[in-house]
Amino acid sequence: MRETASSDALLSWYDRHARQLPWRVSPQDRASGIKPDPYRIWLSEVMLQQTTVAAVKDYFLKFTALWPTVRDLAEADDAEVMAAWAGLGYYARARNLLKCARVVTDEHGGVFPNDRDSLQALPGIGPYTSAAISAIAFDLPETVLDGNVERVMSRIHAVEAPLPTSKPELMTLAQALTPQKRAGDYAQAVMDLGATICTPKSPACGICPWLDACEGREKGIASELPRKLPKKAKPTRRGIAYVLRNSDGAWLLETRPDKGLLGGMLGWPGSDWAEDPIPAPPVSADWQPAGMEVRHTFTHFHLVLNVMVAEADLEPELGEFIPHQSFRPSDLPTVMRKVFDAAKHRFE
DNA sequence: GAGACGTGGAC
DNA sequence: TGTCCAAGTCT
């Protein structure tokens, strides 16, 4: 006879096995009355959207060191924030992060609202993040439904319908398990379970606190769940990137338009990215191939970039020369950093 | 509601 | 090398 999954069983496991994370208040500290800082919870949740804990840690520490409060972040320069986010991906998050910090500072007196609807009205905060902040920062009994919770719910209830069709059903199941007390600990507990025990491949069912309640395990299909609709194949696009240095050693870069791919980020001038790109050098110069092409895969296409290099002092129509001293490759999104790595040996 | 939107690590 | 995936949101 299968047992019933209980939030108490999971909370008991969490009390012993909670991960220590830079933004987290441990269950023991919570019990002694320590409350999380909503700013840090919000920042961590935005960074964690579609991003691994390992990748987020250093960025979180850097951001909180540079901007300790939401007001500090609201007053920051856009370019500095985008540069600090470089490498973390999904750059709309950084643009919305700044918008959100400024709305919270200007319209909410620098205090994050503590209800879901107000939170979800803020830029970059959707259904998941509003629930996560409500639960983790304010201990409100909201139900978080992220990829972890979807996987855990689909397994313990053996939901065989594929995502995203099954999402409403998984939400109903998740809500039924959400306790009224210790909502913040519970939300983090179920996500920790998904991240450390109930993993996508080879789940560690033997040490799962919900082992005896898991219908997927009983049926022997836990590791196959959740089922997902097949993905579409990625097309390959091509492009040309132009790396130009002037006689002062400055590099020609441009800030990309806010909308679209790598929006708001620094990058090398280039052609369009298409099946058959049209060359578009930023200035007339003696362009030479760098000798290496750059390969990079985005979420929905593969990119092969031809890298061209030149030295010239002509004033370009687009972009600006960034002085040698203030140019940091780490300020670039990864694909643009790869372009620099492919080009730089030609300037040595 | 389906597609756009990044990256690095695991296998 | 290729595929999958990770605390989603926006349009």
Side-chain angles (χ1 to χ4, degrees):
Chain A
M1 185 63 191
R2 192 170 58 241
E3 294 183 17
T4 303
S6 77
S7 57
D8 282 345
L10 186 62
L11 283 165
S12 171
W13 170 82
Y14 183 70
D15 286 338
R16 286 173 283 126
H17 298 292
R19 287 180 290 174
Q20 297 184 30
L21 302 170
W23 48 86
R24 174 172 288 177
V25 173
S26 72
Q28 289 73 25
D29 282 349
R30 251 182 208 274
S32 69
I34 294 176
K35 297 191 185 314
D37 176 357
Y39 168 65
R40 293 165 62 87
I41 299 304
W42 162 72
L43 179 62
S44 67
E45 287 301 338
V46 173
M47 287 183 167
L48 286 162
Q49 289 167 6
Q50 296 290 287
T51 309
T52 57
V53 165
V56 164
K57 277 183 181 172
D58 287 347
Y59 284 87
F60 178 82
L61 295 173
K62 173 166 65 174
F63 269 68
T64 51
L66 286 169
W67 304 293
T69 70
V70 68
R71 194 173 295 273
D72 296 320
L73 183 58
E75 292 169 357
D77 288 336
D78 292 41
E80 287 184 29
V81 174
M82 299 311 288
W85 195 277
L88 197 55
Y90 282 142
Y91 299 99
R93 293 185 295 172
R95 302 195 299 275
N96 285 329
L97 192 78
L98 260 173
K99 283 187 199 166
C100 182
R102 288 167 182 163
V103 172
V104 169
T105 298
D106 297 341
E107 298 176 22
H108 297 273
V111 179
F112 276 87
N114 66 357
D115 66 284
R116 271 200 76 172
D117 288 343
S118 303
L119 285 166
Q120 206 164 317
L122 295 166
I125 298 183
Y128 163 76
T129 305
S130 66
I133 296 172
S134 297
I136 298 170
F138 301 117
D139 231 13
L140 299 171
E142 299 287 354
T143 299
V144 297
L145 186 65
D146 72 330
N148 288 304
V149 183
E150 288 173 352
R151 185 168 57 256
V152 171
M153 292 301 133
S154 68
R155 287 175 177 174
I156 64 175
H157 296 290
V159 175
E160 297 202 50
L163 282 167
T165 313
S166 58
K167 191 160 176 165
E169 180 184 0
L170 297 175
M171 175 53 98
T172 300
L173 294 167
Q175 283 170 333
L177 267 168
T178 304
Q180 294 297 304
K181 296 179 179 177
R182 297 191 66 187
D185 282 341
Y186 176 79
Q188 294 173 96
V190 67
M191 291 191 284
D192 269 23
L193 185 72
T196 64
I197 304 281
C198 196
T199 51
K201 295 165 189 170
S202 318
C205 299
I207 56 173
C208 180
W210 278 344
L211 169 63
D212 294 327
C214 185
E215 189 177 347
R217 166 72 170 175
E218 185 176 282
K219 291 184 171 175
I221 58 172
S223 65
E224 301 168 23
L225 302 177
R227 302 195 198 286
K228 295 185 179 178
L229 264 15
K231 297 181 169 66
K232 290 175 58 176
K234 290 178 180 21
T236 296
R237 297 185 196 167
R238 298 176 180 281
I240 308 164
Y242 299 94
V243 178
L244 182 75
R245 189 176 70 174
N246 72 13
S247 52
D248 293 331
W251 301 97
L252 180 65
L253 289 152
E254 62 180 2
T255 300
R256 300 170 60 88
D258 266 352
K259 293 209 170 191
L261 196 63
L262 310 178
M265 298 300 291
L266 221 42
W268 307 102
S271 70
D272 57 334
W273 295 346
E275 194 170 326
D276 193 16
I278 300 160
V283 299
S284 177
D286 180 25
W287 292 103
Q288 299 291 325
M292 282 178 62
E293 59 184 20
V294 164
R295 291 173 182 278
H296 190 77
T297 298
F298 292 101
T299 308
H300 51 296
F301 65 94
H302 302 288
L303 178 65
V304 181
L305 282 178
N306 232 333
V307 180
M308 305 295 287
V309 299
E311 303 201 56
D313 289 313
L314 296 170
E315 204 50 45
E317 307 230 345
L318 287 174
E320 60 175 320
F321 280 105
I322 307 288
H324 172 71
Q325 317 87 274
S326 50
F327 172 64
R328 291 191 306 268
S330 61
D331 288 353
L332 303 176
T334 298
V335 65
M336 297 296 175
R337 187 177 49 67
K338 286 186 183 177
V339 168
F340 180 67
D341 288 342
K344 63 186 180 188
H345 71 280
R346 298 297 306 271
F347 296 93
E348 286 165 356

